[in-house]
Amino acid sequence: MLGWLAAALLAALARGGTPPAPSLACWKQCGSRWFLCSWPPQGPTGNTSYLLTLCSTVPTVCRQFQAGTRTTYTLKHHQVYVLTNTTAWVEARWGDHVHRTPNLTLYLDKAVKPDPPPSEVPFKKAGGHLQLRVTVPPCHRESQPPHWEARFRAMGDSGWTQVTCRVAMEKDNPVTCVLGGNGAFEVQLRYKPPHWSSYWSNWSSTIFVPEEILASPVLSYQLGPLGRDGQRVLRLGWQPAPKEQGQVTVTLRARMLACRCAEEDTVVLGTEVTAHNLTLSGAEYDISATAANAAGPGPARQLRVPAEQRAELGFRAVSVAGGTVTARWEAPSPGSLYCFEQRQLLPGAPHRSACIQRHFPARSIHVERGALEAPACYRLAVHGRAPARGWSTFALQHHYAGNASLGVPIRINASAGDATITLQWSPSPRAACPGVLAKYLICLAAEGESVTYAEADAAASHHTLQNLQPGTAYRVGVREVTAENQGTCGAWWHFQTKAMGPQETAWKSHLKYLSISLSVPAAAIIYHLSKRRARRLLFPPLPKPVGSKAIQFSAGEMSQGQPWPGFVEPLERFSPAELLLLELGPGKEMSEAGTQPGTLLPEPTAEEPPCPEKELPVTYHRQEVLSPLGSPLPGSEEEEEEEEEEEGRQGLCQPPVPIALHLFDKPIIIRDGEGWDPSLETSVPQPAPGWGSGWQEQDERGPVGC
């Protein structure tokens, strides 16, 4: 039996747990004088009787107690020896069977089983280590702290992991349990007194340990301007915490750095709050935001709010004499505490302020004095506190302590052009002092002329002078303009602009003449192109009356007895029957009625290539209307241009057409490069009566061509 118990004990220890509870246990509660012994049932329920035996060492006495069928028995303190070691066992009897439990040795006075730890145990967690702040058990009077154990499981898991906790020998005996993770856990605790006869308490209720806050929320902020009441609003915002972190509170702390007497303002906000407004004065502030939950606070998030630099809350008067500044200010509202800030405007410069705690009414005048080190820029301000409004700024102004000259040394740089000059200077130390330097005044004067003025911004470091006269002597000066001094330039720098040379003048004149000479042809071309286009748009050609009787002539109008004005006028009278005839080319005859065949012309020579069978140009189709000689039709110029373009595009071969006519009763044949041939006088037939109709028919067929 003892071997079986030892094997079970070793198996439990190998699994990392605690040894199983003995089959028999006797203990008392804290402060009680009664002992409770209990054991597991051994035989059939209701038919098994139990006998409890206790034997003390000094004196050696054994006592037996009949428990009947029950598995528990309560002993009174006067029935046993409690200040000595005692051995106890239980015998179970049913029928002929007898079962005895293993012997249990204990010191009854120390056999205490404490109550379970409370569920509301303050703790914090960092790096996976859970640290608990537990109270000392009431019955613990030992020099050593109690033993602690914890079991935990992640959220949603079912199995427990049991660990032994470490107790520090410090004040309040903090208990540290290693959970091995940063997540959220369910934790249960138990403990026992350090004596070997004591018992473990029962497990406590489940304690929710949230996830650690490794970083505070990121702050988004918006700073408003300083109002006439001397206060400004800082609007802060942040993202809500995740659910694993549980109930998270955000603590905001605002500390005014200008006044040492100013207390830190603290506000604690709940989990549901994600924005908050802080009312601040015009001084510099240090804002911190810390998120915390049951596991502990996270790292603080810092925010530095700069001091207001420009405001309309000025002093009534500021004067400096011998390194001592005197400032007069007026209290806009009553208060009980104020401080006078005078700080050198440099990074990391210490805050020097004097706090005066006294009541002052509204509209009261106060005078403050302080020491200034030259040269430097100082921030002068007065901040006051009222119980109802908090801190506010009463007066604010910057002052430059130094006797640097207001005249600015400059460098004159001439540009590529001869009419532009650039002035450069180093930034003034007053420019780094807000509100002290108003602007730069630039003074310019040509030789023998009055002074002209220009202005440059306080942050500028250069200025350009334009439209200067070549070959002229100038003087220029730059001066700083402050609120206290509005004078003019005192120091002058002289320079001479470059004169225009002869080569440069000739080159410019040549360029001018060349531009004029090129502009005239260009204007003429543009005018010609625009005129032709405008003429076509404004005066389009007249339409051809195709299918109309306007082109038909009567027999009287077509007779040669009444020639058209400007037509061919013979020197002598000739027969009206003589007619201008066109001869056909070789192999062509006129077969239409009313016409007579003409005389055949000789064959073309080899030098004259035959004309290809192509459609005649549109020019020939327009010979339906006869016009007197010297009276061109409307749009004839355009038609001539179109004829030339058409002939150029088609490249028509137009061989010379011989023309036969009677002039002064003499037959004349006109060919290319030839005159009239008298031998052919008899070969030209006389026109028959009614020649007018034959002309008209020939004209309807069109001129004879290739």
Side-chain angles (χ1 to χ4, degrees):
M1 182 65 67
L2 294 176
W4 179 85
L5 290 175
L9 177 62
L10 293 176
L13 294 176
R15 291 193 302 267
T18 59
S23 58
L24 174 62
C26 293
W27 49 269
K28 67 175 182 177
Q29 291 183 341
C30 179
S32 176
R33 300 174 64 89
W34 296 72
F35 293 91
L36 177 65
C37 295
S38 63
W39 56 87
Q42 301 296 329
T45 304
N47 296 326
T48 304
S49 62
Y50 299 97
L51 178 65
L52 174 63
T53 302
L54 286 84
C55 296
S56 61
T57 304
V58 179
T60 306
V61 177
C62 293
R63 297 191 63 178
Q64 294 182 341
F65 303 93
Q66 294 290 338
T69 59
R70 296 175 299 169
T71 58
T72 61
Y73 190 84
T74 303
L75 298 173
K76 297 181 180 180
H77 69 282
H78 63 272
Q79 294 176 337
V80 293
Y81 292 95
V82 298
L83 298 178
T84 184
N85 292 341
T86 301
T87 303
W89 67 88
V90 174
E91 293 180 358
R93 299 176 183 271
W94 67 95
D96 296 336
H97 297 278
V98 177
H99 177 76
R100 178 177 173 176
T101 63
N103 292 342
L104 173 66
T105 301
L106 70 164
Y107 194 87
L108 289 177
D109 189 56
K110 300 296 182 180
V112 179
K113 183 178 180 180
D115 296 333
S119 58
E120 299 295 332
V121 178
F123 64 89
K124 62 180 180 179
K125 187 178 70 168
H129 291 72
L130 178 65
Q131 190 177 47
L132 303 102
R133 294 288 179 180
V134 295
T135 59
V136 179
C139 297
H140 180 71
R141 299 180 180 90
E142 304 292 336
S143 58
Q144 294 182 353
H147 301 308
W148 287 84
E149 286 184 350
R151 64 180 183 179
F152 63 91
R153 62 184 178 185
M155 299 297 296
D157 293 349
S158 58
W160 293 92
T161 301
Q162 187 169 326
V163 294
T164 301
C165 301
R166 184 179 69 254
V167 182
M169 299 299 295
E170 300 176 2
K171 184 181 180 180
D172 298 335
N173 297 327
V175 178
T176 303
C177 306
V178 180
L179 303 183
N182 183 37
F185 295 98
E186 291 179 340
V187 180
Q188 291 181 350
L189 302 172
R190 72 175 184 176
Y191 72 99
K192 66 181 290 295
H195 198 273
W196 57 271
S197 296
S198 62
Y199 289 84
W200 286 100
S201 67
N202 293 333
W203 291 105
S204 66
S205 301
T206 301
I207 303 172
F208 174 71
V209 179
E211 180 181 336
E212 300 177 30
I213 300 178
L214 301 180
S216 293
V218 178
L219 294 177
S220 61
Y221 67 93
Q222 182 180 2
L223 183 62
L226 186 66
R228 295 292 300 175
D229 58 350
Q231 292 181 336
R232 50 185 176 166
V233 177
L234 177 65
R235 297 175 177 86
L236 299 174
W238 55 89
Q239 296 295 327
K243 295 181 179 180
E244 292 77 7
Q245 294 181 356
Q247 297 292 325
V248 178
T249 60
V250 177
T251 303
L252 298 177
R253 295 179 175 88
R255 184 168 61 94
M256 187 169 64
L257 304 178
C259 300
R260 293 173 294 179
C261 54
E263 297 180 356
E264 185 178 72
D265 295 334
T266 304
V267 57
V268 180
L269 306 173
T271 305
E272 67 282 355
V273 180
T274 58
H276 188 71
N277 294 341
L278 294 177
T279 301
L280 309 177
S281 66
E284 184 179 13
Y285 278 83
D286 188 7
I287 308 296
S288 65
T290 305
N293 59 2
R301 182 79 62 177
Q302 300 292 333
L303 175 64
R304 181 63 61 90
V305 179
E308 184 69 30
Q309 301 297 336
R310 299 184 182 273
E312 299 179 358
L313 306 174
F315 286 84
R316 296 180 65 90
V318 175
S319 60
V320 178
T324 301
V325 59
T326 302
R328 294 172 57 87
W329 59 278
E330 179 182 353
S333 60
S336 59
L337 177 66
Y338 73 91
C339 71
F340 176 58
E341 174 191 1
Q342 55 177 66
R343 183 193 179 196
Q344 191 173 353
L345 205 63
L346 289 176
H351 292 272
R352 294 187 303 174
S353 60
C355 293
I356 296 92
Q357 188 170 3
R358 66 182 180 187
H359 292 278
F360 53 88
R363 304 303 177 184
S364 58
I365 304 300
H366 304 266
V367 179
E368 308 298 332
R369 291 179 175 84
L372 302 181
E373 298 177 0
C377 178
Y378 281 87
R379 168 187 170 88
L380 306 178
V382 175
H383 311 286
R385 182 181 183 277
R389 300 179 65 249
W391 286 94
S392 60
T393 299
F394 294 159
L396 173 61
Q397 185 174 332
H398 290 81
H399 181 79
Y400 180 78
N403 55 359
S405 174
L406 296 176
V408 180
I410 60 175
R411 296 185 302 273
I412 301 175
N413 296 331
S415 61
D418 52 1
T420 302
I421 294 296
T422 301
L423 307 179
Q424 295 181 344
W425 60 84
S426 300
S428 170
R430 294 182 179 87
C433 205
V436 174
L437 180 62
K439 58 186 176 181
Y440 288 99
L441 181 66
I442 294 94
C443 310
L444 178 66
E447 185 177 0
E449 297 182 2
S450 58
V451 180
T452 58
Y453 299 95
E455 295 180 356
D457 191 73
S461 60
H462 64 277
H463 184 77
T464 302
L465 301 176
Q466 298 178 349
N467 301 325
L468 301 179
Q469 296 297 327
T472 306
Y474 286 91
R475 58 191 180 103
V476 65
V478 179
R479 178 184 174 86
E480 301 176 10
V481 178
T482 63
E484 296 83 7
N485 197 316
Q486 301 287 339
T488 184
C489 299
W492 296 91
W493 278 261
H494 299 267
F495 66 93
Q496 177 84 24
T497 56
K498 182 180 178 182
M500 185 180 298
Q503 296 181 355
E504 186 177 1
T505 305
W507 179 80
K508 289 186 177 181
S509 61
H510 293 166
L511 181 61
K512 184 186 300 183
Y513 295 146
L514 179 61
S515 61
I516 294 175
S517 60
L518 293 178
S519 62
V520 173
I525 294 174
I526 295 174
Y527 172 75
H528 180 67
L529 296 177
S530 60
K531 179 180 179 182
R532 291 187 58 185
R533 183 173 182 83
R535 184 179 59 185
R536 292 187 180 184
L537 294 176
L538 298 177
F539 306 102
L542 296 177
K544 183 174 66 174
V546 179
S548 174
K549 295 182 180 181
I551 61 174
Q552 297 181 3
F553 299 91
S554 62
E557 292 174 346
M558 296 301 298
S559 65
Q560 293 187 4
Q562 296 178 1
W564 288 30
F567 201 65
V568 179
E569 296 291 339
L571 298 178
E572 298 179 2
R573 296 186 61 85
F574 58 93
S575 174
E578 297 179 357
L579 175 64
L580 173 64
L581 297 178
L582 299 177
E583 288 191 20
L584 298 175
K588 300 289 182 178
E589 294 183 357
M590 305 197 48
S591 58
E592 284 79 356
T595 62
Q596 297 189 14
T599 305
L600 296 177
L601 298 177
E603 294 292 335
T605 61
E607 298 178 358
E608 298 177 359
C611 182
E613 295 293 337
K614 293 185 179 180
E615 183 181 359
L616 294 178
V618 70
T619 313
Y620 291 95
H621 297 287
R622 296 181 182 178
Q623 294 181 1
E624 298 179 3
V625 181
L626 296 179
S627 300
L629 184 63
S631 300
L633 293 176
S636 59
E637 296 179 1
E638 298 181 3
E639 293 178 357
E640 292 175 1
E641 295 176 0
E642 295 179 359
E643 291 173 5
E644 294 175 359
E645 295 176 359
E646 187 70 24
E647 291 175 0
R649 288 194 302 266
Q650 299 183 2
L652 294 177
C653 176
Q654 298 181 6
V657 179
I659 301 175
L661 69 153
H662 283 268
L663 192 60
F664 306 113
D665 297 332
K666 300 294 183 178
I668 298 176
I669 298 176
I670 301 177
R671 291 187 177 88
D672 186 18
E674 298 181 0
W676 66 302
D677 190 357
S679 62
L680 298 178
E681 293 180 2
T682 58
S683 65
V684 179
Q686 297 295 331
W691 61 274
S693 60
W695 174 271
Q696 185 175 0
E697 292 178 0
Q698 184 179 357
D699 184 67
E700 290 177 357
R701 290 192 306 270
V704 179
C706 299

